[in-house]
Amino acid sequence: MALTASPADQARLLELQAFDTKISQLEHRAKKLPQHTSLTELQQHRDKLQLTLLEERGIKDDIELELSRVDSDVKVVDARIARDSARLDATSSAKDAAAFEQELAALRTRLSNLEDIELAVMERLEGQQKIVDNLLEQAANLTAETSGLEASRDEALRDIEAELGTVRAGRASLQQTLPEDLLALYERQRSRYGTGASLLRGGVSLASGVKLLENEMQEIRAAAPDSIIMCASSEAILVRTDESGL
């Protein structure tokens, strides 16, 4: 036996479809918030920045290690100068004194060279520290920007979720007024084809935008008011009203 439903029940399917359309729009809006794109771009920027920061910190660590080695060499030469100076002061041998003075001269030259190297390395370290500090500042700014965008996104999502709650409640209330078999048909068509009910307005099915042929309109005119008519182009339940042009 063919499924039938009162014209009033069929008309309520258009309200149900309006609820479902609104729900789909809101869910799409939640997925397509501009903050999502901005946050993705920011995360990509942060990832690149972290890699750069890691590299620059590695360079800084290498310079610090180099400075530590030079400083260690300076201390060794300082110790040798102090030792040879003490020996020079204590010796009474002219030959030994000459040897100590020659070695001290070489050590002082070595010390001067090391101090020049140490100064140059310290300047490189200072410059590298500025690079690292600048990257850290950029990272902090990105973190702050990310936090702001996340807060904005969360607020927008809360607003959408609140509206969704209202729409879903309205839908749940409406579907309780519909016959189970009619509702099941609507849900099946909507899940398969995207639209469950379509208004026939002026001979046009609004779900597809297709104008029905005259022979199709004649068949609809001849159908009983409680007959369920399917839209050939959208596979939705075709709802007839005073706007249908029958």
Side-chain angles (χ1 to χ4, degrees):
M1 186 174 179
L3 176 63
T4 60
S6 70
D9 284 339
Q10 292 188 48
R12 276 196 286 273
L13 290 179
L14 295 176
E15 298 178 49
L16 191 63
Q17 182 61 66
F19 277 126
D20 286 331
T21 299
K22 185 63 175 178
I23 289 171
S24 296
Q25 290 171 344
L26 289 170
E27 290 175 341
H28 179 76
R29 191 196 307 173
K31 292 178 182 178
K32 297 298 181 180
L33 285 174
Q35 292 93 329
H36 292 319
T37 301
S38 298
L39 284 168
T40 298
E41 292 173 352
L42 273 180
Q43 186 58 52
Q44 292 172 347
H45 191 180
R46 290 176 71 186
D47 290 344
K48 291 179 181 178
L49 186 62
Q50 288 300 319
L51 286 175
T52 303
L53 182 58
L54 186 62
E55 292 173 358
E56 297 298 339
R57 275 178 164 164
I59 294 173
K60 175 175 170 286
D61 290 343
D62 290 342
I63 296 174
E64 287 177 337
L65 181 58
E66 182 181 355
L67 181 60
S68 176
R69 289 170 178 167
V70 175
D71 186 58
S72 178
D73 289 343
V74 167
K75 289 178 180 178
V76 169
V77 173
D78 272 334
R80 289 181 63 185
I81 289 174
R83 182 197 64 188
D84 286 356
S85 295
R87 287 179 176 178
L88 177 61
D89 292 340
T91 187
S92 58
S93 168
K95 183 179 179 180
D96 289 345
F100 287 138
E101 287 176 350
Q102 184 177 5
E103 185 173 349
L104 281 168
L107 287 170
R108 290 188 181 104
T109 299
R110 172 63 175 159
L111 180 61
S112 178
N113 292 336
L114 285 172
E115 287 174 342
D116 289 343
I117 294 172
E118 185 177 38
L119 181 60
V121 174
M122 289 174 67
E123 289 175 350
R124 284 168 51 208
L125 181 59
E126 182 180 358
Q128 190 62 29
Q129 184 64 59
K130 288 180 180 179
I131 292 173
V132 171
D133 289 344
N134 179 263
L135 290 172
L136 288 171
E137 183 179 356
Q138 290 182 48
N141 291 338
L142 285 176
T143 298
E145 188 176 354
T146 298
S147 296
L149 277 171
E150 287 175 341
S152 173
R153 176 204 61 193
D154 293 345
E155 181 179 0
L157 287 175
R158 282 193 296 271
D159 291 342
I160 292 172
E161 191 57 39
E163 190 172 356
L164 271 171
T166 300
V167 175
R168 286 169 176 155
R171 186 195 194 281
S173 178
L174 175 62
Q175 75 177 43
Q176 292 176 0
T177 69
L178 295 169
E180 289 185 5
D181 51 0
L182 179 63
L183 179 61
L185 176 61
Y186 168 88
E187 296 288 17
R188 186 184 70 192
Q189 299 307 105
R190 186 174 70 89
S191 65
R192 288 180 177 177
Y193 307 106
T195 304
S198 174
L199 173 64
L200 179 63
R201 176 185 288 165
V204 176
S205 172
L206 296 190
S208 62
V210 174
K211 185 174 180 60
L212 275 64
L213 300 175
E214 182 55 33
N215 65 312
E216 294 174 320
M217 292 294 289
Q218 289 178 0
E219 291 179 4
I220 293 173
R221 292 187 186 103
D226 62 353
S227 294
I228 302 296
I229 299 173
M230 307 304 295
C231 173
S233 54
S234 69
E235 299 294 342
I237 299 170
L238 199 60
V239 179
R240 294 161 286 169
T241 69
D242 293 340
E243 303 178 64
S244 297
L246 299 175

PDB file of all heavy atoms in Angstrom, residues 78-91 100-101 104 107-108:
ATOM      1  N   ASP A  78      98.122  32.026  31.001  1.00  0.00           N
ATOM      2  CA  ASP A  78      98.287  32.875  32.192  1.00  0.00           C
ATOM      3  C   ASP A  78      99.048  32.125  33.286  1.00  0.00           C
ATOM      4  O   ASP A  78      99.935  32.687  33.953  1.00  0.00           O
ATOM      5  CB  ASP A  78      96.913  33.309  32.725  1.00  0.00           C
ATOM      6  CG  ASP A  78      96.409  34.589  32.072  1.00  0.00           C
ATOM      7  OD1 ASP A  78      97.263  35.382  31.612  1.00  0.00           O
ATOM      8  OD2 ASP A  78      95.177  34.796  32.027  1.00  0.00           O
ATOM      9  N   ALA A  79      98.693  30.887  33.479  1.00  0.00           N
ATOM     10  CA  ALA A  79      99.350  30.080  34.518  1.00  0.00           C
ATOM     11  C   ALA A  79     100.816  29.863  34.191  1.00  0.00           C
ATOM     12  O   ALA A  79     101.693  29.919  35.078  1.00  0.00           O
ATOM     13  CB  ALA A  79      98.625  28.745  34.656  1.00  0.00           C
ATOM     14  N   ARG A  80     101.094  29.615  32.908  1.00  0.00           N
ATOM     15  CA  ARG A  80     102.497  29.410  32.520  1.00  0.00           C
ATOM     16  C   ARG A  80     103.311  30.706  32.667  1.00  0.00           C
ATOM     17  O   ARG A  80     104.485  30.673  33.072  1.00  0.00           O
ATOM     18  CB  ARG A  80     102.543  28.906  31.081  1.00  0.00           C
ATOM     19  CG  ARG A  80     102.042  27.472  30.929  1.00  0.00           C
ATOM     20  CD  ARG A  80     102.121  27.015  29.500  1.00  0.00           C
ATOM     21  NE  ARG A  80     103.509  26.982  29.019  1.00  0.00           N
ATOM     22  CZ  ARG A  80     103.869  26.699  27.763  1.00  0.00           C
ATOM     23  NH1 ARG A  80     102.916  26.410  26.871  1.00  0.00           N
ATOM     24  NH2 ARG A  80     105.137  26.686  27.417  1.00  0.00           N
ATOM     25  N   ILE A  81     102.697  31.842  32.337  1.00  0.00           N
ATOM     26  CA  ILE A  81     103.384  33.132  32.505  1.00  0.00           C
ATOM     27  C   ILE A  81     103.688  33.366  33.985  1.00  0.00           C
ATOM     28  O   ILE A  81     104.803  33.795  34.358  1.00  0.00           O
ATOM     29  CB  ILE A  81     102.539  34.279  31.923  1.00  0.00           C
ATOM     30  CG1 ILE A  81     102.506  34.201  30.390  1.00  0.00           C
ATOM     31  CG2 ILE A  81     103.074  35.641  32.374  1.00  0.00           C
ATOM     32  CD1 ILE A  81     101.591  35.199  29.732  1.00  0.00           C
ATOM     33  N   ALA A  82     102.675  33.084  34.830  1.00  0.00           N
ATOM     34  CA  ALA A  82     102.888  33.264  36.279  1.00  0.00           C
ATOM     35  C   ALA A  82     103.993  32.337  36.774  1.00  0.00           C
ATOM     36  O   ALA A  82     104.861  32.733  37.586  1.00  0.00           O
ATOM     37  CB  ALA A  82     101.580  33.002  37.020  1.00  0.00           C
ATOM     38  N   ARG A  83     104.010  31.101  36.293  1.00  0.00           N
ATOM     39  CA  ARG A  83     105.027  30.130  36.724  1.00  0.00           C
ATOM     40  C   ARG A  83     106.422  30.561  36.260  1.00  0.00           C
ATOM     41  O   ARG A  83     107.387  30.571  37.033  1.00  0.00           O
ATOM     42  CB  ARG A  83     104.691  28.755  36.149  1.00  0.00           C
ATOM     43  CG  ARG A  83     105.666  27.649  36.570  1.00  0.00           C
ATOM     44  CD  ARG A  83     105.516  26.438  35.656  1.00  0.00           C
ATOM     45  NE  ARG A  83     105.892  26.795  34.277  1.00  0.00           N
ATOM     46  CZ  ARG A  83     105.713  25.975  33.226  1.00  0.00           C
ATOM     47  NH1 ARG A  83     105.131  24.801  33.401  1.00  0.00           N
ATOM     48  NH2 ARG A  83     106.086  26.366  32.020  1.00  0.00           N
ATOM     49  N   ASP A  84     106.544  30.936  34.980  1.00  0.00           N
ATOM     50  CA  ASP A  84     107.855  31.321  34.447  1.00  0.00           C
ATOM     51  C   ASP A  84     108.349  32.639  35.051  1.00  0.00           C
ATOM     52  O   ASP A  84     109.567  32.837  35.254  1.00  0.00           O
ATOM     53  CB  ASP A  84     107.799  31.444  32.923  1.00  0.00           C
ATOM     54  CG  ASP A  84     107.726  30.073  32.249  1.00  0.00           C
ATOM     55  OD1 ASP A  84     107.801  29.054  32.966  1.00  0.00           O
ATOM     56  OD2 ASP A  84     107.577  30.018  31.013  1.00  0.00           O
ATOM     57  N   SER A  85     107.400  33.528  35.335  1.00  0.00           N
ATOM     58  CA  SER A  85     107.791  34.791  35.988  1.00  0.00           C
ATOM     59  C   SER A  85     108.354  34.512  37.366  1.00  0.00           C
ATOM     60  O   SER A  85     109.362  35.128  37.792  1.00  0.00           O
ATOM     61  CB  SER A  85     106.584  35.733  36.082  1.00  0.00           C
ATOM     62  OG  SER A  85     106.142  36.130  34.804  1.00  0.00           O
ATOM     63  N   ALA A  86     107.747  33.592  38.096  1.00  0.00           N
ATOM     64  CA  ALA A  86     108.245  33.213  39.426  1.00  0.00           C
ATOM     65  C   ALA A  86     109.613  32.572  39.320  1.00  0.00           C
ATOM     66  O   ALA A  86     110.518  32.830  40.136  1.00  0.00           O
ATOM     67  CB  ALA A  86     107.247  32.271  40.095  1.00  0.00           C
ATOM     68  N   ARG A  87     109.812  31.722  38.308  1.00  0.00           N
ATOM     69  CA  ARG A  87     111.107  31.071  38.119  1.00  0.00           C
ATOM     70  C   ARG A  87     112.175  32.100  37.744  1.00  0.00           C
ATOM     71  O   ARG A  87     113.337  32.006  38.185  1.00  0.00           O
ATOM     72  CB  ARG A  87     110.996  30.022  37.021  1.00  0.00           C
ATOM     73  CG  ARG A  87     110.230  28.768  37.445  1.00  0.00           C
ATOM     74  CD  ARG A  87     110.133  27.786  36.296  1.00  0.00           C
ATOM     75  NE  ARG A  87     109.476  26.526  36.698  1.00  0.00           N
ATOM     76  CZ  ARG A  87     109.235  25.519  35.863  1.00  0.00           C
ATOM     77  NH1 ARG A  87     109.572  25.631  34.569  1.00  0.00           N
ATOM     78  NH2 ARG A  87     108.651  24.423  36.291  1.00  0.00           N
ATOM     79  N   LEU A  88     111.744  33.066  36.902  1.00  0.00           N
ATOM     80  CA  LEU A  88     112.694  34.104  36.510  1.00  0.00           C
ATOM     81  C   LEU A  88     113.157  34.904  37.725  1.00  0.00           C
ATOM     82  O   LEU A  88     114.345  35.222  37.872  1.00  0.00           O
ATOM     83  CB  LEU A  88     112.060  35.033  35.472  1.00  0.00           C
ATOM     84  CG  LEU A  88     112.901  36.231  35.011  1.00  0.00           C
ATOM     85  CD1 LEU A  88     114.217  35.759  34.352  1.00  0.00           C
ATOM     86  CD2 LEU A  88     112.101  37.100  34.042  1.00  0.00           C
ATOM     87  N   ASP A  89     112.196  35.213  38.578  1.00  0.00           N
ATOM     88  CA  ASP A  89     112.535  35.984  39.779  1.00  0.00           C
ATOM     89  C   ASP A  89     113.432  35.172  40.719  1.00  0.00           C
ATOM     90  O   ASP A  89     114.254  35.746  41.468  1.00  0.00           O
ATOM     91  CB  ASP A  89     111.259  36.397  40.523  1.00  0.00           C
ATOM     92  CG  ASP A  89     110.452  37.417  39.745  1.00  0.00           C
ATOM     93  OD1 ASP A  89     111.020  38.072  38.852  1.00  0.00           O
ATOM     94  OD2 ASP A  89     109.224  37.540  40.001  1.00  0.00           O
ATOM     95  N   ALA A  90     113.302  33.862  40.693  1.00  0.00           N
ATOM     96  CA  ALA A  90     114.035  33.024  41.652  1.00  0.00           C
ATOM     97  C   ALA A  90     115.392  32.569  41.133  1.00  0.00           C
ATOM     98  O   ALA A  90     116.253  32.167  41.918  1.00  0.00           O
ATOM     99  CB  ALA A  90     113.188  31.800  42.006  1.00  0.00           C
ATOM    100  N   THR A  91     115.598  32.644  39.798  1.00  0.00           N
ATOM    101  CA  THR A  91     116.861  32.091  39.278  1.00  0.00           C
ATOM    102  C   THR A  91     118.018  33.084  39.436  1.00  0.00           C
ATOM    103  O   THR A  91     117.826  34.301  39.394  1.00  0.00           O
ATOM    104  CB  THR A  91     116.703  31.716  37.790  1.00  0.00           C
ATOM    105  OG1 THR A  91     117.907  31.031  37.375  1.00  0.00           O
ATOM    106  CG2 THR A  91     116.517  32.940  36.907  1.00  0.00           C
ATOM    107  N   PHE A 100     114.026  31.919  30.296  1.00  0.00           N
ATOM    108  CA  PHE A 100     112.701  32.275  30.833  1.00  0.00           C
ATOM    109  C   PHE A 100     112.137  33.516  30.146  1.00  0.00           C
ATOM    110  O   PHE A 100     110.935  33.594  29.827  1.00  0.00           O
ATOM    111  CB  PHE A 100     112.781  32.494  32.337  1.00  0.00           C
ATOM    112  CG  PHE A 100     112.938  31.218  33.130  1.00  0.00           C
ATOM    113  CD1 PHE A 100     113.823  31.158  34.208  1.00  0.00           C
ATOM    114  CD2 PHE A 100     112.213  30.074  32.804  1.00  0.00           C
ATOM    115  CE1 PHE A 100     113.964  29.985  34.942  1.00  0.00           C
ATOM    116  CE2 PHE A 100     112.361  28.913  33.552  1.00  0.00           C
ATOM    117  CZ  PHE A 100     113.247  28.854  34.616  1.00  0.00           C
ATOM    118  N   GLU A 101     113.019  34.506  29.922  1.00  0.00           N
ATOM    119  CA  GLU A 101     112.547  35.739  29.295  1.00  0.00           C
ATOM    120  C   GLU A 101     112.092  35.486  27.851  1.00  0.00           C
ATOM    121  O   GLU A 101     111.092  36.046  27.393  1.00  0.00           O
ATOM    122  CB  GLU A 101     113.668  36.785  29.317  1.00  0.00           C
ATOM    123  CG  GLU A 101     113.905  37.367  30.705  1.00  0.00           C
ATOM    124  CD  GLU A 101     115.092  38.332  30.742  1.00  0.00           C
ATOM    125  OE1 GLU A 101     115.828  38.388  29.730  1.00  0.00           O
ATOM    126  OE2 GLU A 101     115.271  38.992  31.769  1.00  0.00           O
ATOM    127  N   LEU A 104     108.811  33.714  28.112  1.00  0.00           N
ATOM    128  CA  LEU A 104     107.773  34.656  28.547  1.00  0.00           C
ATOM    129  C   LEU A 104     107.335  35.564  27.403  1.00  0.00           C
ATOM    130  O   LEU A 104     106.144  35.879  27.259  1.00  0.00           O
ATOM    131  CB  LEU A 104     108.281  35.496  29.725  1.00  0.00           C
ATOM    132  CG  LEU A 104     108.257  34.805  31.084  1.00  0.00           C
ATOM    133  CD1 LEU A 104     109.050  35.622  32.124  1.00  0.00           C
ATOM    134  CD2 LEU A 104     106.815  34.602  31.557  1.00  0.00           C
ATOM    135  N   LEU A 107     105.101  33.519  25.301  1.00  0.00           N
ATOM    136  CA  LEU A 107     103.817  33.312  25.985  1.00  0.00           C
ATOM    137  C   LEU A 107     102.951  34.570  25.954  1.00  0.00           C
ATOM    138  O   LEU A 107     101.728  34.495  25.784  1.00  0.00           O
ATOM    139  CB  LEU A 107     104.055  32.871  27.426  1.00  0.00           C
ATOM    140  CG  LEU A 107     104.559  31.438  27.628  1.00  0.00           C
ATOM    141  CD1 LEU A 107     104.981  31.213  29.081  1.00  0.00           C
ATOM    142  CD2 LEU A 107     103.490  30.434  27.207  1.00  0.00           C
ATOM    143  N   ARG A 108     103.591  35.738  26.108  1.00  0.00           N
ATOM    144  CA  ARG A 108     102.818  36.987  26.087  1.00  0.00           C
ATOM    145  C   ARG A 108     102.246  37.252  24.690  1.00  0.00           C
ATOM    146  O   ARG A 108     101.125  37.762  24.554  1.00  0.00           O
ATOM    147  CB  ARG A 108     103.690  38.138  26.559  1.00  0.00           C
ATOM    148  CG  ARG A 108     104.011  38.073  28.050  1.00  0.00           C
ATOM    149  CD  ARG A 108     104.710  39.326  28.556  1.00  0.00           C
ATOM    150  NE  ARG A 108     105.005  39.209  29.982  1.00  0.00           N
ATOM    151  CZ  ARG A 108     106.206  38.963  30.484  1.00  0.00           C
ATOM    152  NH1 ARG A 108     107.257  38.791  29.653  1.00  0.00           N
ATOM    153  NH2 ARG A 108     106.387  38.866  31.794  1.00  0.00           N
TER     154      ARG A 108
END
